[in-house]
Amino acid sequence: RNGVRICLMQEILNSAVYNNNGTCQELLEFAYGSHPDCYVENGFCTDILLSLKNLDCLIDVLDDSDILTRLGIQQIYESAKRCTQETVDSFLSSVDDWIQSETGRTKEILTTLRDLLGGCETGLDLLFVLDSSGSIGSGNFVTMKNFVADVITHFVIRDNSTRVGLIRFTDTASILIPLGSINNAQQLTTAVNSVVYTGGGTSTDLALDLIPTAFINARVNEGIPRVVILLTDGRSNEPTLTAQAAPRVHNDNIEVYSVGIGSGIN
């Protein structure tokens, strides 16, 4: 407990927010953001997440009034996401028994943490298609990658559950993460974050035409849905070809969701 408190205090004293006379609200938000790193540095993954009796250590660090707020739950979740996948899997294999034996705040925290870390057990073959054209810009491309990384956290990434692939397109389209090639959530997030912004044109038609190839090893015979999330800022350079390509994807019983990115969506 003292180690966490000391870590938090050092983080605050060393922060630009503190040294630049930030507001109380800015300091509060910074302190909450610092919690996960300090927890992990002081044994959260081994001493708390895998040991029910030590969960009280975490509860004591947080104010009673904050523990069930969005920030309180979020920082516990963010701490757990910093643990290894093996540690998280071990927690999920034990947590239901723990929940049955607990009451009050501890039970609520465990239940929430289980639901957040457990993700969606329903299997999907999920393909992200990212627009890397010049009009997107590097900042919005980072926003897209963060969105993909966040969506991934809501699914169980395993070969027998949800599998993920990724296409990037500009004047050309390329499969950068083959479907199901990475079956570890942390490694998958790292791969997504490493995708480079290139700039260029918006050949949405080529991206759509590449989708069937990206799903070549999809589990259609097992009844697993194929889902595409396409992130773009708008109009294709080849609207006629894009209009022709879209029905081919839909007629193949692939669900497609388009997400607009940036302030200049057209």
Side-chain angles (χ1 to χ4, degrees), residues 77 85 88-89 92 111-126 128 149-164 185 188 219 224-225 227 229:
Y77 173 51
Q85 188 63 45
V88 172
D89 288 343
L92 292 173
T111 301
T112 301
L113 192 56
R114 177 201 63 190
D115 293 344
L116 288 171
L117 289 174
C120 178
E121 289 285 356
T122 301
L124 290 177
D125 281 333
L126 178 60
F128 292 95
D150 181 65
V151 171
I152 288 170
T153 66
H154 296 282
F155 293 90
V156 176
I157 306 301
R158 293 197 183 104
D159 189 54
N160 61 355
S161 188
T162 292
R163 303 187 304 167
V164 172
L188 183 58
R219 297 164 291 176
I224 302 298
V227 176
I229 299 179

Side-chain angles (χ1 to χ4, degrees), residues 123 219-226:
R219 297 164 291 176
V220 178
N221 292 337
E222 300 175 35
I224 302 298
R226 291 172 295 168

Side-chain angles (χ1 to χ4, degrees), residues 3 15 33 39 74 92 107 118-119 192 215-216 218 232 251 264-265:
S15 70
Y39 291 154
Q74 184 65 23
L92 292 173
K107 183 170 186 172
V192 169
F215 277 134
I216 194 67
T232 181
N251 291 340
I265 299 171

